[in-house]
């Protein structure tokens, strides 16, 4: 594979589309309904223009970012995603090695294909844990205890999946997690041998955190069951009492929910519309970010994902109020290509894009980036001449 041919994040998507079975590509790429929320996320970034600046000394540019006392080498990380190993049997391990090499966060999901313990062995403090409520509070707090004992410092509670989103792309192809095979799925996989053959040796991915958490031996996390508990304010307060590290609530799209999360003692919030995968009529996440940032104290960190596809997008999200951003689908598409080098190449592309944009905008540090880099933002006018 000639990595030089992959120069945009869409290049990774197109390459992965050829390699992956339709059901797997549809699972990763698809959104709720007809995908209008996915499109809306992208369109919101396209509407925002940046204002170049000249006559600035930008010979020294710094992409590092401080978040809650830790200095990160970059301002982006890998978003929590369930069952990453559907893209490649080694996806989780490759992502962990890449996160460790580049000092970026990797959010391991409750629905991950690999346990947090195995991921932590590779990436250490770069590992964050994303928590879903399963079929019992007792099992949920067992996961929290494991994360705490492991030394994980950042916990993300996802609250935007009270029920699975309606995703026709998964229904049409018969995608199930874990996999269930009928004739349609067998033919789909057989027609993509470069994807299928490695699974003959590794076995099909499953939910790695799913067992040993429930007293009756039933799976803790069932993607299609109605037994999953729903996080509410009482649970959030209990979680805050038990978790001593940094706590973020993910899936915030409403100002009042942001205030309630902070009032419960959270260290910050995570603005996301789940990449457009839950509700088709949800507003673009970038628009929600701007609204929520205006209502929160600047001292409250805001994490952000949904729709980011370039270094320019990352700069736009930071300028509109995000303190740190995460990308999901692009990292899975890079993982699908079968080598750690593809993931590292994606990270390098984002680095180069961000660096170039900073120079064009007259920006030397992401720590002092503001909305003044957005074209059309009202500034105090100065008379010239």
């Amino acid at each position: 594979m000639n990595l030089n041919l992959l120069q945009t994040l869409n290049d990774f998507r197109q390459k992965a589309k050829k390699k992956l079975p339709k059901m797997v590509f549809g699972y990763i790429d698809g959104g709720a309904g007809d995908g209008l929320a996915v499109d809306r996320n992208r369109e919101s970034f396209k509407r925002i223009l940046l204002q170049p600046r000249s006559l600035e000394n930008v010979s020294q540019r710094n992409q590092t970012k401080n978040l809650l006392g830790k200095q990160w080498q970059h301002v982006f990380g890998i978003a929590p995603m369930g069952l990453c190993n559907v893209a490649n049997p080694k996806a989780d391990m490759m992502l962990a090695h890449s996160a460790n090499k580049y000092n970026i966060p990797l959010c391991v999901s409750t629905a991950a294909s690999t346990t947090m313990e195995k991921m932590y062995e590779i990436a250490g403090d770069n590992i964050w844990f994303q928590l879903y409520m399963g079929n019992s509070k007792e099992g949920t707090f067992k996961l929290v205890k494991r994360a705490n004992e492991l030394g994980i410092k950042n916990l993300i509670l996802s609250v935007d999946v009270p029920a699975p989103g309606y995703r026709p792309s998964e229904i049409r192809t018969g995608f199930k997690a874990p996999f269930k095979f009928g004739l349609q799925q067998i033919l789909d996989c057989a027609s993509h041998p470069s994807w299928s053959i490695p699974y003959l040796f590794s076995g099909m991915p499953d939910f790695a955190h799913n067992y040993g958490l429930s007293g009756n031996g039933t799976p803790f996390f069932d993607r299609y069951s109605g037994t999953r508990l729903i996080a509410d304010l009482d649970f959030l307060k209990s979680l805050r009492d038990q978790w001593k590290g940094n706590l973020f609530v993910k899936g915030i799209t409403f100002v009042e929910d942001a205030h309630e999360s902070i009032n419960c003692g959270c260290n910050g919030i995570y603005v996301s519309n789940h990449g457009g995968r839950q509700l088709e009529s949800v507003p673009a996440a970038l628009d929600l970010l701007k609204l929520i940032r205006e209502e929160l104290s600047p001292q409250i960190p805001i994490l952000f994902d949904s729709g980011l596809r370039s270094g320019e997008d990352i700069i736009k999200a930071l300028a509109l109020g995000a303190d740190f951003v995460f990308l999901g689908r692009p990292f899975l598409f890079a993982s699908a290509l079968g080598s750690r080098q593809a993931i590292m190449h994606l990270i390098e592309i984002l680095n180069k894009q961000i660096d170039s944009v900073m120079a064009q905008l007259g920006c030397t540090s992401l720590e002092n980036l503001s909305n003044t880099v957005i074209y059309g933002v009202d500034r105090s006018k100065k008379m010239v001449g």
Side-chain angles (χ1 to χ4, degrees), residues 1-241:
M1 182 175 56
N2 184 356
L3 292 177
N4 193 54
L5 297 177
L6 303 173
Q7 291 301 324
T8 69
L9 272 61
N10 189 55
D11 290 342
F12 288 86
R13 178 182 180 273
Q14 294 301 323
K15 192 75 172 176
K17 186 176 183 180
K18 295 178 181 178
K19 182 173 181 178
L20 295 172
K22 290 182 180 178
M23 67 173 185
V24 176
F25 180 80
Y27 163 69
I28 297 172
D29 196 57
D34 290 323
L36 296 182
V38 177
D39 296 340
R40 199 173 295 119
N41 282 340
R42 289 300 307 129
E43 288 300 321
S44 67
F45 279 98
K46 293 176 184 178
R47 289 197 309 267
I48 300 295
L49 302 179
L50 297 172
Q51 178 61 66
R53 291 295 306 273
S54 303
L55 305 175
E56 302 283 345
N57 183 352
V58 291
S59 58
Q60 300 295 321
R61 300 182 293 280
N62 182 4
Q63 292 190 38
T64 61
K65 183 73 172 180
N66 187 285
L67 182 67
L68 295 174
K70 178 175 173 60
Q71 194 79 4
W72 295 94
Q73 194 69 28
H74 306 286
V75 76
F76 59 87
I78 303 170
M81 296 175 284
L83 222 62
C84 289
N85 283 5
V86 299
N88 182 292
K90 298 179 180 179
D92 279 333
M93 294 292 100
M94 293 190 298
L95 291 169
H97 281 290
S98 300
N100 185 59
K101 176 178 174 61
Y102 286 92
N103 187 26
I104 62 174
L106 167 57
C107 304
V108 177
S109 172
T110 297
S113 320
T114 307
T115 64
M116 67 177 97
E117 287 84 358
K118 289 183 179 179
M119 302 285 271
Y120 193 85
E121 285 179 10
I122 297 171
D125 285 346
N126 295 83
I127 295 299
W128 299 19
F129 187 65
Q130 176 261 334
L131 181 70
Y132 280 123
M133 293 191 72
N135 60 15
S136 71
K137 287 186 178 180
E138 179 186 12
T140 302
F141 281 117
K142 285 182 181 178
L143 275 180
V144 173
K145 183 179 179 182
R146 280 169 58 181
N148 182 60
E149 292 177 346
L150 195 58
I152 290 175
K153 296 178 174 60
N154 296 282
L155 184 68
I156 297 169
L157 173 66
S158 284
V159 296
D160 57 353
V161 190
Y166 182 74
R167 302 172 195 163
S169 60
E170 295 182 19
I171 298 171
R172 293 189 192 103
T173 61
F175 178 86
K176 295 288 184 181
F179 288 137
K180 292 184 180 179
F181 290 95
L183 180 60
Q184 177 188 1
Q185 291 73 44
I186 292 173
L187 293 175
D188 187 13
C189 294
S191 64
H192 296 82
S194 64
W195 175 88
S196 305
I197 290 173
Y199 289 97
L200 297 177
F201 303 94
S202 67
M204 290 299 172
D206 199 351
F207 296 122
H209 298 113
N210 225 2
Y211 305 100
L213 297 174
S214 302
N216 56 8
T218 59
F220 169 74
F221 180 86
D222 187 336
R223 192 165 179 254
Y224 306 101
S225 142
T227 62
R228 192 194 312 175
L229 302 177
I230 298 172
D232 56 18
L233 284 175
D234 288 338
F235 176 79
L236 180 57
K237 292 172 184 176
S238 299
L239 179 62
R240 178 68 283 181
D241 289 340

Side-chain angles (χ1 to χ4, degrees), residues 222-290:
D222 187 336
R223 192 165 179 254
Y224 306 101
S225 142
T227 62
R228 192 194 312 175
L229 302 177
I230 298 172
D232 56 18
L233 284 175
D234 288 338
F235 176 79
L236 180 57
K237 292 172 184 176
S238 299
L239 179 62
R240 178 68 283 181
D241 289 340
Q242 296 200 29
W243 179 257
K244 303 309 177 185
N246 297 320
L247 177 61
F248 301 90
V249 178
K250 180 178 184 290
I252 296 296
T253 59
F254 187 54
V255 171
E256 189 58 36
D257 291 337
H259 284 303
E260 288 183 337
S261 299
I262 299 304
N263 289 340
C264 286
C266 292
N267 299 88
I269 63 165
Y270 191 144
V271 174
S272 168
N273 64 15
H274 215 96
R277 295 168 68 81
Q278 282 301 107
L279 180 67
E280 186 172 25
S281 298
V282 69
L286 190 66
D287 296 337
L288 296 167
L289 168 66
K290 183 176 183 294

